[in-house]
């Protein structure tokens, strides 16, 4: 039985960027359903619009539902999950270069982080939680991703060299994400 995977891109990106198309193809080949969500106005993102997109696109959140979110997509996903009442148990998530604190380099994204997320609510809804971060990330400081991992009590995968895991950093494939997700979906 295939799983439903939602891939949520970040700031300035689209579903056709970076490693998202590759991951989608790999998962489709494994008979999973995959949606790479197209987030509106990604170069000038508005929290309300991004949350609305998730609300409209994510159907039937349950134990067969998994998320892979990159950068701004991570905090957007957490904000979305937190506002669900009740938040049903779901499969799990992988947050790549995620953050929950202000990015001094991108003050326009402050609305996404201004309200602290109820981490406990999200933790209690799923057992499979992973954060991946590169020590040389030049957009989201490594420390912020590590903080996020602690807040959400996730497994943490530090990568020595990966930058922000963008095409420009050489990431048109991302085996680490694929392998972790595969293990997650098998252990249920």
């Amino acid at each position: 039985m295939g799983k439903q995977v939602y891939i949520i891109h970040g700031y300035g990106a689209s579903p056709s960027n970076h490693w998202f198309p590759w991951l989608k193809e790999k998962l489709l080949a494994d008979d999973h359903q995959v949606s790479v969500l197209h987030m509106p106005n990604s170069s000038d993102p508005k929290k309300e619009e991004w949350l609305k997109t998730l609300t409209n696109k994510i159907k039937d959140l349950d134990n067969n539902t998994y998320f892979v979110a990159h950068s701004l997509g991570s905090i957007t996903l957490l904000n979305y999950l937190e506002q669900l009442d009740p938040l049903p148990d779901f499969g799990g998530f992988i947050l790549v270069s995620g953050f929950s604190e202000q990015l001094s380099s991108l003050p326009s994204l402050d609305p996404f982080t201004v309200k602290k997320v109820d981490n406990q609510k999200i933790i209690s809804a799923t057992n499979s939680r992973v954060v991946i971060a590169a020590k040389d990330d030049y957009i989201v400081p490594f420390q912020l991703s590590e903080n996020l991992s602690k807040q959400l009590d996730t497994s943490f995968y530090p990568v020595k060299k990966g930058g922000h895991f963008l095409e420009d950093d050489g990431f048109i494939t991302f085996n680490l994400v694929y392998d972790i997700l595969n293990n997650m979906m098998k252990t249920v």
Side-chain angles (χ1 to χ4, degrees), residues 47-62:
K47 181 179 176 183
E48 293 68 32
E49 292 178 355
W50 278 42
L51 287 175
K52 194 164 151 191
T53 299
L54 296 192
T55 302
N56 292 338
K57 299 288 184 199
I58 295 171
K59 305 289 177 228
D60 304 326
L61 188 58
D62 62 25

Side-chain angles (χ1 to χ4, degrees), residues 1-186:
M1 164 77 191
K3 311 291 188 190
Q4 172 70 58
V5 180
Y6 293 97
I7 302 171
I8 306 166
H9 68 72
Y11 177 77
S14 81
S16 59
N17 288 144
H18 314 313
W19 38 272
F20 312 135
W22 172 84
L23 183 60
K24 178 180 181 177
E25 289 309 310
K26 292 274 286 183
L27 293 168
L28 287 173
D30 296 337
D31 288 330
H32 299 299
Q33 294 173 41
V34 189
S35 305
V36 186
L37 302 184
H38 191 284
M39 306 307 284
N41 304 316
S42 75
S43 51
D44 183 22
K46 300 282 178 268
K47 181 179 176 183
E48 293 68 32
E49 292 178 355
W50 278 42
L51 287 175
K52 194 164 151 191
T53 299
L54 296 192
T55 302
N56 292 338
K57 299 288 184 199
I58 295 171
K59 305 289 177 228
D60 304 326
L61 188 58
D62 62 25
N63 286 320
N64 290 311
T65 311
Y66 293 81
F67 298 95
V68 176
H70 180 246
S71 194
L72 186 62
S74 299
I75 186 66
T76 306
L77 172 64
L78 298 174
N79 279 307
Y80 163 77
L81 292 171
E82 183 196 41
Q83 71 181 13
L84 294 177
D85 192 19
L87 170 57
D89 288 350
F90 65 98
F93 58 74
I94 299 175
L95 307 179
V96 179
S97 301
F99 59 93
S100 62
E101 300 160 68
Q102 291 176 318
L103 293 180
S104 50
S105 57
L106 289 166
S108 63
L109 304 184
D110 286 356
F112 286 85
T113 56
V114 93
K115 182 180 159 291
K116 291 287 171 248
V117 173
D118 179 354
N119 295 313
Q120 207 47 54
K121 177 176 179 177
I122 294 169
I123 290 169
S124 59
T126 182
N127 294 320
S128 300
R129 299 179 304 281
V130 167
V131 171
I132 299 173
K135 294 191 171 169
D136 61 349
D137 193 321
Y138 48 89
I139 295 176
V140 174
F142 178 78
Q143 186 62 55
L144 296 192
S145 295
E146 196 172 28
N147 293 349
L148 180 65
S149 171
K150 288 177 181 146
Q151 290 157 11
L152 289 165
D153 190 24
T154 73
S155 303
F156 186 59
Y157 291 80
V159 175
K160 202 167 178 181
K161 288 204 177 323
H164 197 54
F165 302 110
L166 305 175
E167 264 162 79
D168 292 352
D169 302 317
F171 281 83
I172 48 170
T173 65
F174 203 163
N175 283 309
L176 180 61
V177 170
Y178 176 72
D179 293 343
I180 293 171
L181 190 58
N182 251 342
N183 286 336
M184 241 184 219
M185 296 192 292
K186 281 186 187 129

